[in-house]
Each structure stands twice: as C-alpha cells, then as structure tokens.
Amino acid sequence: MATPSGTITLLFTDIEGSTKLWEAHPEAMGIALARHDALLRETIEAHAGFVFKTIGDAFCAAFHTAPEALGAALIAQQVLAAEPWPGGLSIKVRMALHTGAVESRDNDYFGQPLNRVARLLAVGYGGQTILSQVTYDLIRDSLPPQTTLKDLGEHRLKDLARPEQVFQLAHPNLDAEFPPLKSLDNVALPNNLPQQVTSFIGREKELAELQERLAITKLLTLTGAGGSGKSRLSLQAAAELLDTFPDGAWLVELAPLADPNLVATTVASVLGVKEEIGKPILTTLTESLKAKNLLLLLDNCEHVLDASAKLADAIIRNCPGVKILATSREGLGIAGEATYRVPSLSLPDPKQVQTAESLSHFESVQLFIARAMQTNPDFAVTNANAPALASICFRLDGIPLAIELAAARARSLSIEDINAKLDQRFRLLTGGSRTALPRQQTLRSLIDWSYDLLSPAEKALLCRLSVFAGGWTLESAEAICVGGEVEDWEVLDHLTSLCDKSLAVAEPVGTSTRYRLLETVRQYSRDRLLETGDGETYRDTHLAFFLALAEETEPQINTPKMKETLDLLESEIGNFRAALEWSGGSPERAEAGLRLVFATNYFVKLRIPFTEAREQVSRAMASPEDVNPSLRAKGFHTLGTYANSFYEFEDANRFLQQSLELRQELNERLGIAQTLHELGWLALQQKDNALAQQRFEASLAIFRELDNLQGIAKILNCLGINALHQDDKVTALRFHEEYLQMERKIGDPGGIGLALYNLGGINFELENYHRAGALFRESLGVYVKQNIKSSIALLLESIGFVLGKNNSLGNMVRLWGQAERLDEEIGRPKAIHMRKFLDNRIAEARAALNDDAVFDAAWQEGRTMSLEQAVALAESI
C-alpha cells in the first residue's frame, strides 16, 4: 500500500513521565516499552497507518484519512489501558491528531503540520487524545460507536501563532477527566508571551541547544545581526520552557526605551513590582524576586547595554530562582553570562542544481514560502523558479527579516524578478509590517539602527571593510583600512568589537582566523563608504594589496609549496575578482588589471572554471593599447593558449603570432621561448609534427641558453608527445622519463603529475596495462593532494580505460561518469581525438555489458559519487 502523501492526518504519541519511570524501574520499563511499541505499531498498521519515525517512546504516524487516524488512536488507547504492565507500572500515553498538507521525502515528512501536531501533543496528558479543529471537522460526522468529541475551547499553543480550537476524544472505556491543558492560557503557567501572527519556522537545533544552555546558566544572551531572529527565537524558547518555571516567563521590551535609567523601572512594571519611597527601584525589584522561580526575557538590550548589564548582574547575584534570557547585538559582558550567537537560517547552495523538492528542507526557503503565501495564496515553487529562489535566500544570507521582506514582494513580482532586483536590495526590501518597530520595516533602517550605535572609528572601519569580497585576514585589513580615525594598531580591537556587535563574522580557518561581512551588511557599508567620498581611495589600496599578493606568490605555484599557495589564492578569489572589476573601470588602472590577470592566471586555470579564466584575460586585454607593450605581448600569448585549449586554431595562431612579434621587437628571450613552445603545441594539435618539432627545438635552445629548468622540462614533455604522435614509442618513453626526473629535481608537483600521466599513456599504448594503471594512480595521488580537478578528471577517465582492459566494466563506467561531472563543473574542454576515443570506448562498453539500463545506472552512480568516493574507487583497483 502506498504511503500517505499530500494532505494527510498525523498521529503523534508519547509516554507521560517516561524519564522518571526509567529512573525508578529500569528493568520493568525495558519490557514495558517493547510491549508498548508492539501494540502501537500493530494498531497503527491495522488502520492503514504508516509509522515514519520513532524517537525514544514517541511515535509519529501518518494516515490517508482522518477517520483512520482517529480509529487507530481510539483502539490504541483502549488496548494500552487494558494492558497488564510489568512491575505494577502505569503506562499513560498522550496522543494528538492534526491534518494538513505536507512534503514527503525519503520516508519522512516535512512542513508546518508536523510542528502544529507536536505543539498540540505537548499540552496534553497521559491517557488523553486531543484533536485540532481541522481534524475535528473531517471526522465529526463519522465517529465510531459510543465515541464523542469534547470541546476544550480555544488554546494558545507553544508555537505562539494562531490559537487552536482543541477537542478531546471521549469513550466509555477511556479516562474522561484531565487537568487543564498545558497551553499558554493555563493560569498555572503565568506569562505575558505575546501571540504571534506568523508561524515559527525551523530552528529545532537551536531550541534544543538553548534549553541545554539555560539548564546550566543563569544568564544567556542571544547575539546576532539585526533581523537574525533573536527575539522570535527567545520567545519560542520561553514558550517551550514555560512549564519548568512555576512563576512564569515574562517578556520585557526594551527597544522603545530612550533613557537607560528606565530599564529597571520597566522590568518592575512588567512584573507588577511597586516602587517604594526612599528605596532604589533595583533594590526593590531584586528583593521581590528572591523567592521567585521565573524566566525573565530582556529583549533588545544593545542601546541600553550598561543599564541592562547592571540589572542582570544584580538579579543573578541576589535571586537564585530567576533565569534571564536576553537578546542583544552584543553580550552584556558580566560575570556568569553565557552567549549564544543565533545563526542564519539553513541555506541552499545556488551552485548546485536545485528543484522544488530539493529546496523544501532548507529553513530559509521554508520561511520564504510561508510568508509569500500570506501575500499571494497562489504562490508556488516550481522546478523552473527553484534556482532563482535558492539564489534569493543565499544572497540574503539566510537573514529572516530580509527573507520576509523579500517574500512580501511576491504579491507583485515573480521569483525571478525579485532575484534580479536584489542588487538594489535596500530599495526593494521595504514595506514590512506597519506594527513592527520602525527599524524592522525596511532592511536599511534595521542596519541603520546598528550602525548609529558604533563609535566613529568603528563606523570608518566597517565602511572600509566593504571593499573586501569573500572575506579578509587581519593582515589585509591592517594594510588596507587604516587612516584617519583608524590607526593600524587599533584594527584588531575595532574588528573584534564589530564581531561582538554581530556586524562582522570571525571564522577559524585552520590555525588562523578569517573575517567576513554578511553580503547585506557589505552592500550597506559600501553605500556608506561612497557617501564619505573615500571609496576610490580604499578600492585603489585594495587593488594594490592584492596585486602585490598575486605577484609575490605566483612563482611559488611550481614548487613544493604548490597546494599551500593555491589554497591561499583560492581563499582570496573573491578579492581578486573585486580588484579586477575595479581595475576595468578606468584607463589609469588598466595596467594594474593586466598585471593582476597574469599573476593569477596559472592559479585560475588550475582551480577555476576555464571559461571564467578566459573571460578575465579577454576583459583585461580590452584596455587601451598604450599599456605597457610587454604586458600586451603576454596578454596575446595568454589568449592564444586559451584558444588553443578550446581548439580554436585560427584564433590561437593569430594571438600567438601577435605575441611573438611584440616579444621579438622587445627582445624578450624568455617570452619568445614561451610563445614558440605554445606555437609548437598548436602545430602538434593540427598534426603538423615537423613544424611542431621545429618550434619545440627553437624554444628549447632559448630555454637552455637561459638555463630555465622549468622551460626545458616543458619542452621535453612536448617532444615526447610529438614522438608518440609519430608512433615512436621508444623515443617518447625516453623523453618522458627524462622529463619526470627533471620535474622531481625541480620539485614541481604539477609537472611531476603530468610526467607520470604521460608515462602511463605510453605504457597503455604499449599494452603494459598493469604499469599504466600504477602510473595513472600515482599521478592521481599527486593531483588529489594539490586539488587540481581538471587533472583529476583526466586521470579518472584514464584509469577507467585500464579497468576496461581488466574487464572491470562497471567501475570503468562509474569513473567515466564522475569525470564527466567534473568536466562540466570546471568547464574543461576535451581534445577532439580524446572525445572520439572516449565515444568509441563508451560504445564498446555498452556492447560488452549488453544492457543499456545497467550502463546508464553505473554512469549515473559515478556522477552522483562524491569526489572522495570516486578517488577511493580508482585507487582500489
């Protein structure tokens, strides 16, 4: 029978007081729980129900219809009540039913109905079964014999959203009388927690962590950027913990206060504490709380931080039964305080292929959908608009307020339009709730609130940090952001303060620390920097710093420090892109832009998609022609190498000849040798082996003249390939062995890997498949260590060929599938002869397997493997 889907009825159950029962009767409870599980599962399945999750003694089941769910609950309660439990135990199970539309995936369910039924279950008692209004409406006219539904009235559940009309299942064989429901309306649970007009989305992990933290601390402060959901999370945590505080949970809103002296007075007013003549209000307040056991919520402390800290310190020192849950942009900074940084909502990766289904389990997407449907009931996520929705949530950093403001635009704009307009997000994201605090009605107002509380030096540093893209190190901040209000020795202190105030984020990377701004804060700070008139100054400094970094580190790529250098450069790719963008904005920066392109070009080819690397060079070469001719010669050479890689031979020849002419005019011997080398490679690809040999030898002569070992090694490699193309395998083997020895002497990991690969290719041609496989795997290990995906893809493909010769057809196809995925990811062009060779091998493999379905399944399995899994497979065979 198919599992329930779409609109279903949920039945949640758990045993009342199970923790105490386990502590008092561990042996009997083990036997009782096994019997409890068997009875529940048997009854649920007998009524066409599907148990999709069990957590301890809790059951979560789904039913196609509400009557089936009610029938299961009715019978289950009766058999549980009649069961002779071991050791004289009394097992009381509470149950709740609710109906709604859910998402189903991997035998599990997701959506607001699950949260609602969980909250409904939490207010009940053992032996009691309660129902929501929607489930009641579906079953009231088809009740089993002797069954009635008792109206328990309207109750505010602990999700703080709309009240729920609650009904109790009644039957002669079941208990009828229970205490008042443990809802927010129960007089035994005093509180002033406000009803929320919107549902609470996600945050299960955070709620669990807050409960654990509050169990061991008296003051817990939630910190985070404006709009991160600190207040909403604190309210929900208080609701969840309400029945653990006999004297209640009390919210004190500090945001409206302009005078810090009113903090203690406001708290006293909320708690009903009267001021006494001649006695400080703080003293009166602490004396009244000494015998209380309650939770105090101090919301929005940042603008009255000192007064809030003084109040909290007095309370936690003098009132043993009081716990404080505060929200603030930064911690209160007193002894005994624990802080909890509220993270962004979980985010999809826009680089991954996203569908409506794959997006459904991300909290940021769930929030967007819920809020969008409030303004546009016809709103729906489709596979067509899923990528745009993923991009919106990612670009808004998972900030709840920003997502809610964007979702409000769904009433008049498509998802694609909203995404396109996010570059003007401070104009787009306006029009929040008129009842919200003014700073929460627009995104800019929200950040203005935080910005206005900064010192002049902090404001200056925050603005200047906006020139970074993708983060920065302390060293780069000290080099770029100093001047005026900010001294170099102050940068660390001010940066730490910005992190404490949740405007910057510090993240450990290995043994060091890297910093970043949320993109929304970065755009705000960029606008503020432009307003100061200093934008050009600090962007120029940023360009100069990263140009120097690139030129300093470029020579280290062809050394044993290759991976360390590539990792460093990759961590700064966002800054290199930003610097290149800035350099293209004016003629006076064109030369710096060209230098930056060439200094990063080798790294870019190894770690970044080919198409982006090529576009960077093309844009840089659009600069004025009066730029340094040596740089233009290098640019033509680089464009020629890319055209060669993409098999655009006419363009490649034109660019390379232009480079050669300029370099000959300038008498740049090294440059001439490099361009002759690339021209030789062009001739080789066009199968003009004689011309290729001539150019390689001319290049080699210059490299020997200059004693350039890297250049000599490259030509040895090319001469070996040219010999192989002429079917002279002995000569090819000699050149490649010499090439490997030289690269090992130089210590260039990239060269070593290439030499091993080429030697493997020759051994493959010689039908020495065992030796070929060993060489390919050794080469693969080199490139995996350096994280060079283009070469890893080539090696997986090649190892696949050797597996094919060893009759490991399934694994061969899996490796080919992974190689194809990597090629697509990095945009690696495939040589025409290699494409033809691979196509022939694919046809042979299909024929050998004699089953297209088996071939396609293996190919897809390879594509969906992680890179680590594919490498492990290649290394194991």
Side-chain angles (χ1 to χ4, degrees), residues 210 214 218-222 233-235 237-238 241 295-299 323-327:
L210 291 186
L214 274 172
K218 294 193 65 179
L219 168 61
L220 178 62
T221 304
L222 307 189
L233 179 60
S234 70
L235 287 172
L241 293 166
L295 177 64
L296 183 64
L297 275 72
L298 301 179
D299 195 28
K323 295 204 172 189
I324 300 175
L325 183 59
T327 72

Side-chain angles (χ1 to χ4, degrees), residues 305-445:
L305 199 64
D306 290 342
S308 299
K310 182 179 179 182
L311 170 86
D313 184 62
I315 291 176
I316 64 175
R317 288 179 183 276
N318 297 288
C319 311
V322 177
K323 295 204 172 189
I324 300 175
L325 183 59
T327 72
S328 177
R329 185 188 55 177
E330 58 184 307
L332 303 188
I334 62 175
E337 178 188 34
T339 60
Y340 181 89
R341 184 176 294 277
V342 177
S344 296
L345 297 173
S346 59
L347 289 167
D349 182 352
K351 296 177 183 177
Q352 302 294 324
V353 176
Q354 300 290 356
T355 65
E357 182 179 356
S358 68
L359 287 182
S360 62
H361 65 283
F362 293 105
E363 293 172 334
S364 55
V365 174
Q366 294 168 10
L367 178 62
F368 188 101
I369 294 171
R371 302 303 185 255
M373 291 185 70
Q374 289 179 330
T375 62
N376 179 7
D378 296 326
F379 175 81
V381 182
T382 66
N383 288 343
N385 65 25
L389 179 53
S391 177
I392 290 170
C393 294
F394 183 82
R395 294 172 68 189
L396 292 178
D397 304 301
I399 299 174
L401 178 64
I403 291 171
E404 290 186 333
L405 291 172
R409 291 295 184 179
R411 70 167 66 94
S412 56
L413 294 174
S414 69
I415 294 296
E416 292 82 356
D417 286 340
I418 295 173
N419 187 44
K421 292 178 181 293
L422 276 188
D423 287 336
Q424 297 87 41
R425 66 185 65 186
F426 295 112
R427 296 179 183 175
L428 177 70
L429 303 185
T430 62
S433 169
R434 290 188 178 91
T435 61
L437 292 169
R439 69 174 185 269
Q440 294 178 335
Q441 294 179 20
T442 74
L443 191 58
R444 186 177 181 93
S445 297

Side-chain angles (χ1 to χ4, degrees), residues 422-558:
L422 276 188
D423 287 336
Q424 297 87 41
R425 66 185 65 186
F426 295 112
R427 296 179 183 175
L428 177 70
L429 303 185
T430 62
S433 169
R434 290 188 178 91
T435 61
L437 292 169
R439 69 174 185 269
Q440 294 178 335
Q441 294 179 20
T442 74
L443 191 58
R444 186 177 181 93
S445 297
L446 177 74
I447 306 178
D448 279 339
W449 166 263
S450 295
Y451 182 82
D452 290 342
L453 294 173
L454 299 177
S455 70
E458 289 170 339
K459 289 178 180 177
L461 180 60
L462 180 65
C463 292
R464 296 167 192 177
L465 291 172
S466 69
V467 302
F468 292 101
W472 67 89
T473 62
L474 177 61
E475 176 192 10
S476 57
E478 290 173 336
I480 293 170
C481 298
V482 297
E485 306 93 329
V486 183
E487 300 283 349
D488 54 359
W489 57 271
E490 295 179 307
V491 170
L492 177 58
D493 288 342
H494 293 323
L495 185 53
T496 301
S497 179
L498 290 175
C499 292
D500 290 341
K501 293 174 170 62
S502 305
L503 286 169
V505 180
E507 298 172 321
V509 179
T511 57
S512 61
T513 301
R514 190 167 178 84
Y515 302 86
R516 65 181 174 88
L517 298 178
L518 296 180
E519 183 59 22
T520 299
V521 176
R522 190 178 82 88
Q523 289 197 24
Y524 174 91
S525 304
R526 178 198 60 191
D527 292 347
R528 286 283 194 170
L529 180 64
L530 294 176
E531 291 170 6
T532 68
D534 291 334
E536 286 196 7
T537 299
Y538 288 99
R539 291 202 71 176
D540 282 341
T541 307
H542 176 273
L543 170 60
F545 178 87
F546 283 100
L547 172 58
L549 176 66
E551 291 183 333
E552 176 187 335
T553 54
E554 182 192 19
Q556 299 174 17
I557 295 178
N558 293 113

Side-chain angles (χ1 to χ4, degrees), residues 103-159:
E103 301 260 353
S104 56
R105 184 175 64 253
D106 299 329
N107 290 327
D108 203 351
Y109 295 94
F110 305 87
Q112 283 303 301
L114 283 88
N115 297 332
R116 197 68 173 170
V117 72
R119 306 297 183 201
L120 193 61
L121 180 70
V123 303
Y125 296 89
Q128 186 177 34
T129 300
I130 52 181
L131 300 77
S132 66
Q133 175 78 55
V134 64
T135 304
Y136 168 82
D137 290 339
L138 291 170
I139 61 176
R140 62 183 179 181
D141 296 326
S142 57
L143 294 173
Q146 298 183 283
T147 302
T148 59
L149 297 174
K150 180 181 179 181
D151 190 344
L152 299 182
E154 190 175 76
H155 290 265
R156 293 174 58 221
L157 305 181
K158 291 185 178 180
D159 58 6

